[in-house]
Amino acid sequence: MDTGKVRKAVIVGCGAVAESSYAQALKQVPNLRPAFACDVDRTAAERVAAMLGAQVADYAEALGRSDVVIIATPPASHFELARQAIAAGREILCEKPFVGTGEEARALVRESAERDVSIHVGHFRRCFPALRAARDLVGTGLLGRVAKLEVVEGGRFAWVSRSRYVERDPHGGVLFDTGSHGLDMALFAAGLDAVDLTVEVERVRRDRPEPSHELEADLSLLTGAVRIPVRIQLSRFRALANRVRISCEAGTVDVSTSPRDRFRVWGPLGSTVSYTGIRQPDFQTTFLEQLHRIFGPLTGGDEFAAQRFVNLTDILETVCLAPGEAL
Amino acid sequence: MTRVAVVGAAGFVGGAVIREALRRRYEVIAVARATSHLHLKRYGVRCLEPAGVDDAGPLDAVINLAYPTGGSNYDVPERNRALLGTIERLAGSGARVIHTSTLAVFGFGLEKPIGLGPVPFHRDFPYVESKIAMERMLLRRFSGRDLAIVRLGNVWGPASAGWTAGLADKLIFGEPVAVTGQDGFSNVTDVANVASFLCHLVEGALPACPHFSHLAEFAETRWSWWLGCLAGVVGCEALSTATPPRYSASYRQELRRILSRFAAGALMKDVGSGRLSGSWWRTVLRALPPAAFRSLKRWRSRRSALAATAPDAGDAGFFAVMSCPTAFTADGLAGWQPVVDRDASWRRAEEYLREAGFGSPQR
C-alpha cells in the first residue's frame, strides 16, 4: 500500500538474485529506499550495497533501523531470518522457495498474524500476463472443474549460485528451485493456492538423492472429496516443454513458463491461442511488477501473502521426502 | 587412447560430441565455464574452466564448439580473442584443431556466395561476425597446421532448444514460424550426425590443410516438412507471417540509418538490443567528429547494464533462416556417411517431444 512515507529496506543475502534482480528493481519502487545490505560475505554485501546506494550492515543492526526486510539468502536460512524479522515487527518479502517444510510455513504465517506483520513470498511468475488471464478463465468455471495439473520445465542450468546451495542443500534441487515456480503457477491458475488440501505422493523418480537435478513425480491433491492428479517433470540438463497445463472437465489450458502475452486453450473441437495484449519484454519487468504489487503503487499484494504458499510448501516437502526410484 | 578436448562442451552439440567420443573410447576433457560443470559431471569426464586448460596435457585434437554468447555485444571481439587463446593453449604444438562454424557465415538467409574456403569479413549480426572472425583468426594462427573448419547447418535433434523444442514451443503458443509463400530450405543437420562427423575428423589424416566442410545432410528438406511433423505431435498448426522483421546485412544502410538519427542513447540502444556488434560500433565511432566521439565514449561504461536487455540474434535472423531460398549443400565430408537418415532423425525427435511434454492433451 502506498502510504506516502518512505520506508527503509534491508536486503539480506547478496548473492546472484540480489545482484541480478533486486539491485535493479528495488530502486524503482516508490516510497521504498534500499538502506542496508547484509551478507556473511562482506565483499558480496559491499558490491550489492554499492549497486543500491545502501550501507553494509550486520543483520541485527539493520533490522533495528529498517521497515522492510527482503530475504534473498539460500532457502535453508529463510525460516530463521523471517522469524527474527517478524519478532522485530518488520514487513517481509521472502524470496522463493519460501521455507523447507509446511510446519515452518504455518509457523511463520501464524507468528506474523499474531504480530500483525505482513509477510510475502517472491513468486514473480504470478505477474505473467498469460498466467493471470488463464487463472481468470479457469476461475469463471467455463471449463468445468479442475481435473489434472501438469508442470513440465527443463533446460540447461546456468544459475550462478555463489553458495552452491543448489548442489548441496536438499532444498536447493530442481524441485524446490525450478519446481516451486511451476507448481506455484499451476496452483495459482487452478485456484488451489489458498484452499485446504492434502498431498499424496504416488511415485517419484529422481537422478540422485535431494538435491536432485532431474525429477519426475506423480501425486494427488485432495480437497474435500475431490482428488486432483498432478504430474511434475523437471530437469536441469535438457530442454523440456516448459509449460504448465491445467486440465479441466471441458477444456485444457497451456501456459508457458516464460512471460508470454498468450496462452493456449484446448477444447473438444480443437484449440486456439488467447492473447492478453500485455507484453512483458523480459523477466526483470515482471520482477519489478511483483515489487510494485507488494509494496505499491499497484494493487494485488495479497496474492503474494505467505499463507498462499503453505500448500505449495506442503507439496514440495512431501515430494522431497518421498523415497524415489532412480531416473 | 585418443585424447580430445571439447571446448564449449556444455551446449546441446557438446553433449552429443561427448557421448560419441566416449562411445569411441576417447579420453575427453570438457572445457566450459564453471556454471556448466554441474551439467557435465554426469558424463564422468574431466572438466576444466578456460582459465585452467594448461592442465589438460597433450591432446590429439581440440574440438571447438564455443563462441561468444550472452553478455554484451560490445565485448564480442575481445571474448573471441580469449576463446582463440584457450584453443591455442589446448592445441599446444601438435593437436589437430577442429572448429565448428556455421552456415550463417554466408548470411542467415545465405545471401552471400557459398564456397568451401575462407570467407571475407563483412558486417552482420554479432553472432555472424564473431563466427567469421574466429574462422579468420584460426586460419592465420594455425596456418600450415592440422585445422578443420566445419560449417554446420541448423543443428536439430532431441532436446535441441533452438530448433526441435524451440519450434514446438512456438507452435504451441501461436507464434509465426514461417514467412507466407516462402517455404525455405531447412538446411538441417542432425546432432548425432554432427557428433559422428566431428569424431570422424579426429581420426585419420585430413584431406587438406586447412580442411573445410559443410554439413547439412537434410539441407534440401523444406521447413514445411519438419513443421508438418511437429504440428502432428503438438496438435497445433504452424503459423506464418506476411511481414517478417527486415533482415539487412548492409553496413552502409545501417550506418546511414544510424547517422540520420544521431543520438548517443539511440546508438547505445542499437548496441544493447543486439543489432550492432562492438567492432561495428567502434567503426561508427571512428567516423564521427572528435567532439561527438568523446561524448559517446563516456557511454561505454554503461555497456554492462545494457547487456541485460540484449535479446538473442532476433526474429529477423530467424525468419531469414525459415525462408532461406538456398540449400546449403553438404561438401568436404572426407568419406564420412551420416549415421542417422531423415526419417530416423524425425523419429528420434518425435520420441523426445512426446517424452518431454510437448504432446497435445490426451482427451
Side-chain angles (χ1 to χ4, degrees):
Chain A
M1 190 195 307
D2 184 1
T3 59
K5 180 195 166 199
V6 175
R7 291 173 294 168
K8 284 195 260 183
V10 51
I11 183 162
V12 53
C14 297
V17 73
E19 265 192 45
S20 66
S21 299
Y22 284 102
Q24 305 298 325
L26 277 177
K27 291 185 286 191
Q28 299 175 61
V29 179
N31 301 330
L32 194 71
R33 183 167 72 81
F36 304 103
C38 314
D39 198 289
V40 289
D41 175 350
R42 189 171 174 90
T43 309
E46 284 171 352
R47 191 165 43 235
V48 169
M51 294 169 85
L52 287 167
Q55 286 176 249
V56 174
D58 147 283
Y59 185 53
E61 176 202 347
L63 265 186
R65 296 168 62 193
S66 303
D67 306 294
V68 172
V69 177
I70 315 274
I71 299 173
T73 52
S77 55
H78 287 183
F79 178 66
E80 200 46 51
L81 291 169
R83 210 165 202 186
Q84 291 174 42
I86 290 169
R90 306 298 176 232
E91 181 174 356
I92 300 159
L93 167 58
C94 180
E95 187 49 46
K96 53 72 59 176
F98 182 24
V99 284
T101 69
E103 189 183 325
E104 288 177 341
R106 274 180 276 275
L108 291 180
V109 169
R110 189 177 57 247
E111 288 170 24
S112 62
E114 287 166 2
R115 293 294 307 258
D116 195 21
V117 166
S118 298
I119 176 166
H120 300 96
V121 182
H123 270 283
F124 75 99
R125 289 190 188 179
R126 289 187 171 214
C127 295
F128 284 0
L131 181 69
R132 301 181 73 80
R135 178 198 57 167
D136 292 346
L137 174 64
V138 172
T140 63
L142 286 171
L143 300 179
R145 182 179 62 81
V146 174
K148 186 179 180 186
L149 304 177
E150 287 178 73
V151 175
V152 183
E153 186 163 3
R156 188 164 53 119
F157 187 73
W159 182 251
V160 188
S161 160
R162 290 206 193 87
S163 65
R164 299 184 69 190
Y165 77 92
V166 295
E167 295 175 65
R168 296 169 178 165
D169 183 341
H171 299 143
V174 71
L175 173 67
F176 271 80
D177 184 37
T178 308
S180 64
H181 270 309
L183 274 165
D184 183 60
M185 290 176 72
L187 295 175
F188 182 65
L192 293 170
D193 55 339
V195 299
D196 285 339
L197 55 80
T198 53
V199 188
E200 281 184 10
V201 173
E202 284 145 32
R203 186 187 190 204
V204 176
R205 299 171 69 209
R206 49 171 74 88
D207 65 331
R208 61 176 218 159
E210 297 295 342
S212 64
H213 302 314
E214 291 199 295
L215 179 138
E216 292 177 12
D218 292 289
L219 52 132
S220 289
L221 304 180
L222 287 86
T223 168
V226 178
R227 175 183 290 267
I228 301 169
V230 180
R231 166 93 180 137
I232 304 168
Q233 186 178 2
L234 306 165
S235 176
R236 279 176 170 166
F237 299 140
R238 64 188 187 125
L240 298 178
N242 293 334
R243 58 145 181 81
V244 170
R245 174 169 285 171
I246 296 98
S247 299
C248 303
E249 291 165 319
T252 294
V253 176
D254 275 345
V255 183
S256 172
T257 57
S258 297
R260 276 207 163 94
D261 62 346
R262 61 193 70 181
F263 60 99
R264 185 169 283 274
V265 187
W266 305 78
L269 300 177
S271 71
T272 187
V273 174
S274 183
Y275 297 86
T276 65
I278 305 167
R279 277 189 178 273
Q280 287 174 332
D282 50 38
F283 282 106
Q284 192 61 23
T285 306
T286 322
F287 192 84
L288 180 59
E289 181 180 324
Q290 170 194 243
L291 298 188
H292 282 166
R293 285 185 184 278
I294 294 171
F295 297 118
L298 297 178
T299 58
D302 290 352
E303 290 169 0
F304 299 87
Q307 58 266 32
R308 288 182 170 270
F309 302 92
V310 176
N311 286 345
L312 171 65
T313 310
D314 277 335
I315 296 171
L316 295 170
E317 180 191 11
T318 309
V319 175
C320 183
L321 293 175
E325 301 165 30
L327 187 65
Chain B
M1 181 184 276
T2 304
R3 296 189 82 240
V4 174
V6 180
V7 183
F12 169 60
V13 178
V17 170
I18 290 173
R19 287 191 295 273
E20 176 64 13
L22 293 174
R23 192 186 69 78
R24 294 179 186 229
R25 301 189 182 285
Y26 297 173
E27 181 184 341
V28 177
I29 294 162
V31 181
R33 283 175 288 206
T35 49
S36 299
H37 287 192
L38 175 69
H39 169 78
L40 291 165
K41 278 178 190 167
R42 65 194 177 131
Y43 297 116
V45 297
R46 186 175 169 205
C47 299
L48 294 176
E49 289 186 62
V53 296
D54 291 333
D55 297 335
L59 294 161
D60 296 293
V62 178
I63 299 176
N64 177 49
L65 306 169
Y67 61 93
T69 181
S72 166
N73 287 324
Y74 192 93
D75 298 329
V76 165
E78 193 178 319
R79 286 184 284 148
N80 235 3
R81 285 192 293 275
L83 175 58
L84 176 69
T86 301
I87 297 168
E88 284 178 328
R89 283 153 60 207
L90 283 164
S93 58
R96 174 173 297 172
V97 174
I98 300 164
H99 169 68
T100 56
S101 188
T102 168
L103 80 169
V105 296
F106 305 110
F108 282 121
L110 296 178
E111 303 85 4
K112 308 285 181 189
I114 298 171
L116 204 58
V119 174
F121 188 79
H122 65 266
R123 295 297 183 190
D124 208 305
F125 277 77
Y127 167 75
V128 176
E129 283 194 19
S130 75
K131 287 288 193 177
I132 297 173
M134 180 54 87
E135 282 192 11
R136 294 172 65 84
M137 287 193 294
L138 285 166
L139 287 167
R140 279 197 301 274
R141 176 61 187 82
F142 291 92
S143 168
R145 290 266 307 270
D146 254 5
L147 171 66
I149 292 179
V150 184
R151 295 178 183 135
L152 300 175
N154 300 310
V155 185
W156 153 284
S160 152
W163 292 112
T164 319
L167 286 175
D169 185 70
K170 284 177 186 282
L171 260 62
I172 291 170
F173 292 106
E175 292 184 12
V177 288
V179 178
T180 308
Q182 297 178 41
D183 183 11
F185 287 100
S186 70
N187 297 319
V188 157
T189 176
D190 189 285
V191 70
N193 287 333
V194 172
S196 165
F197 181 62
L198 294 176
C199 289
H200 173 76
L201 290 178
V202 171
E203 300 165 2
L206 293 175
C209 192
H211 175 69
F212 286 89
S213 314
H214 291 177
L215 185 62
E217 64 277 7
F218 312 132
E220 296 191 0
T221 298
R222 301 279 183 167
W223 276 118
S224 58
W225 189 85
W226 299 107
L227 292 172
C229 292
L230 284 165
V233 173
V234 303
C236 310
E237 63 181 324
L239 302 183
S240 64
T241 175
T243 54
R246 193 175 62 88
Y247 169 58
S248 165
S250 161
Y251 169 55
R252 285 179 185 281
Q253 277 179 20
E254 285 292 334
L255 192 57
R256 265 202 301 273
R257 182 179 67 81
I258 291 163
L259 293 177
S260 70
R261 57 186 184 91
F262 171 72
L267 271 169
M268 289 308 292
K269 194 175 169 188
D270 273 337
V271 177
S273 68
R275 182 63 189 92
L276 302 180
S277 68
S279 58
W280 193 335
W281 165 237
R282 280 186 283 275
T283 306
V284 172
L285 286 179
R286 282 196 294 272
L288 295 172
F293 179 92
R294 282 193 294 274
S295 161
L296 286 166
K297 286 281 277 185
R298 286 200 293 272
W299 283 72
R300 201 181 147 178
S301 61
R302 294 185 57 184
R303 67 183 187 273
S304 57
L306 284 161
T309 61
D312 296 332
D315 284 347
F318 171 72
F319 285 110
V321 171
M322 300 305 287
S323 57
C324 182
T326 308
F328 187 62
T329 310
D331 205 350
L333 300 186
W336 172 84
Q337 292 294 319
V339 293
V340 173
D341 66 15
R342 192 185 72 172
D343 289 343
S345 178
W346 167 246
R347 281 196 302 276
R348 281 159 31 91
E350 182 182 21
E351 187 182 351
Y352 154 74
L353 288 165
R354 292 194 190 283
E355 193 271 329
F358 288 94
S360 58
Q362 292 174 338
R363 304 196 57 80

